[in-house]
């Protein structure tokens, strides 16, 4: 059972509900959302006059299994990372190298992607490489470089955390913790990341269903951390022509099931530099709240994922296109709600 209480509810009201559930042997959890409302999730149902109080504005006996991630108790939630906001209607562009290689490489890339329109910097310090003989990243030194470059450029940084033992050190340097495709179902990692309270970028496992992905988000939120942004990054297909198949079906589907922002990674989702721009455009048209793209000057000399790396010049074109498409999709939505004709508006 889901119970939502508004921001005016005293803490004692939640305590009362939790105590009632406990007395009945029903487990409960509570999460405070950015708008001040609190959602209580009960692993069972019960009735009490407390549920009639005016501060209780929603009681759902039947709902999806991901109680906190479900769209059944709120529409679009906004996740803030420093000055950047996901889910506010303006798509976010995150860009940077696949892997942090050196101070010079990261600074040059950060300045170039910022100039191209990115507002957040990506870069791996701990890398999940397919081969144990490939460059594994600079580790803590990479984290320090990311933190330094954030100071120089003002851009918040997102970087991957690979194991629960790294969560603390990554959280102390990064503005957002990335949980990668290969770790989407690593529940100890999800829980530990959740407990930091830091925003989490949760990539979809490349063989995970949308429901499994949302349940992974639930692990983070159930720790009291509603600041989760989902990222579709491609699933395994049968055709070796592509590294992965960017599953854009998942974007409108996920957005219809959850209130969390959903962004798209057309770099890993295609694995082919030439496909990044068209799929970035398609992702925005499908309703994505942002894009994460691998880009740095001299893309061909990147130590990791050079074949899908794009130049900052190309990124600038993607940024413009992203904002132009978002204007049209937002206009379409507001036309639908006001019953206006989009053709008249764009004419
Ligand atoms: C990445 O973004 O650096 C990465 C490794 O992505 P994924 O987990 O989607 O493969
Ligand atoms: Mn990469």
């Amino acid at each position: 059972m889901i119970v939502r209480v508004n921001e005016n509810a005293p803490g004692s009201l939640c305590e009362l509900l939790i105590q009632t559930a406990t007395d009945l042997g029903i487990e409960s959890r509570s999460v405070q959302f950015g708008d001040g409302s609190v959602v209580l999730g009960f692993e069972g149902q019960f009735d009490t006059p407390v549920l009639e109080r005016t501060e209780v504005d929603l009681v759902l006996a039947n709902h999806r299994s991901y109680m906190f991630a479900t769209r059944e108790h709120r529409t679009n939630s906004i996740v803030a990372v420093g000055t950047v906001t996901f889910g506010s209607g303006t798509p976010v562009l995150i860009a940077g190298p696949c892997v942090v290689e050196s101070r010079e490489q990261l600074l040059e890339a950060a300045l170039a992607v910022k100039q191209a329109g990115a507002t957040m910097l990506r870069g791996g310090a701990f890398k999940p490489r397919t081969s144990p003989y490939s460059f594994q990243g600079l580790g803590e030194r990479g984290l320090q470089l990311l933190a330094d470059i954030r100071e120089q450029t003002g851009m918040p940084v997102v970087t991957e955390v690979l194991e629960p033992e790294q969560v603390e050190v990554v959280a102390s340097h990064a503005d957002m913790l990335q949980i990668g495709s290969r770790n989407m179902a690593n529940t100890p990692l999800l829980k530990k990341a959740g407990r930091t309270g830091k925003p989490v970028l949760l990539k979809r496992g490349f063989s995970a269903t949308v429901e499994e992905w949302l349940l992974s988000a639930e692990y983070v939120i159930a720790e009291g951390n509603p600041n989760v942004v989902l990222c579709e990054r491609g699933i395994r297909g049968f055709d070796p022509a592509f590294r992965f198949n960017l599953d854009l079906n998942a974007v409108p589907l996920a957005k219809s099931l959850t209130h969390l922002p959903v962004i798209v990674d057309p770099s890993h989702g295609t694995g082919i530099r030439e496909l990044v721009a068209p799929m970035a455009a398609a992702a925005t048209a499908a309703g994505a709240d942002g894009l994460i793209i691998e880009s740095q000057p001299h893309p061909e000399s990147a130590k990791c994922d050079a074949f899908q790396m794009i130049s900052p010049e190309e990124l600038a074109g993607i940024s413009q296109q992203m904002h132009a498409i978002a204007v049209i999709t937002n206009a379409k939505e507001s036309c639908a709600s006001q019953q206006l004709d989009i053709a008249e508006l764009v004419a």
Side-chain angles (χ1 to χ4, degrees), residues 98-99 122 127 243 268 294 304-305 308:
C98 176
V99 61
R122 62 147 292 142
K127 292 299 298 179
R243 188 179 183 194
H268 294 91
E294 292 188 338
C304 180
D305 288 355
Q308 68 195 33

Side-chain angles (χ1 to χ4, degrees), residues 200-238:
V200 171
L201 181 62
L202 179 61
K203 297 190 109 183
R204 178 181 176 193
F206 49 71
S207 55
T209 65
V210 169
E211 186 171 25
E212 287 163 344
W213 186 26
L214 297 177
L215 282 164
S216 287
E218 187 74 7
Y219 267 95
V220 177
I221 308 176
E223 295 299 323
N225 182 355
N227 303 307
V228 179
V229 174
L230 298 166
C231 179
E232 165 57 48
R233 50 77 70 213
I235 53 176
R236 204 42 118 204
F238 65 85

Side-chain angles (χ1 to χ4, degrees), residues 242-261:
F242 312 104
R243 188 179 183 194
F244 293 101
N245 277 353
L246 190 60
D247 180 15
L248 291 183
N249 293 359
V251 175
L253 179 64
K255 286 187 68 76
S256 72
L257 296 172
T258 177
H259 53 84
L260 300 172

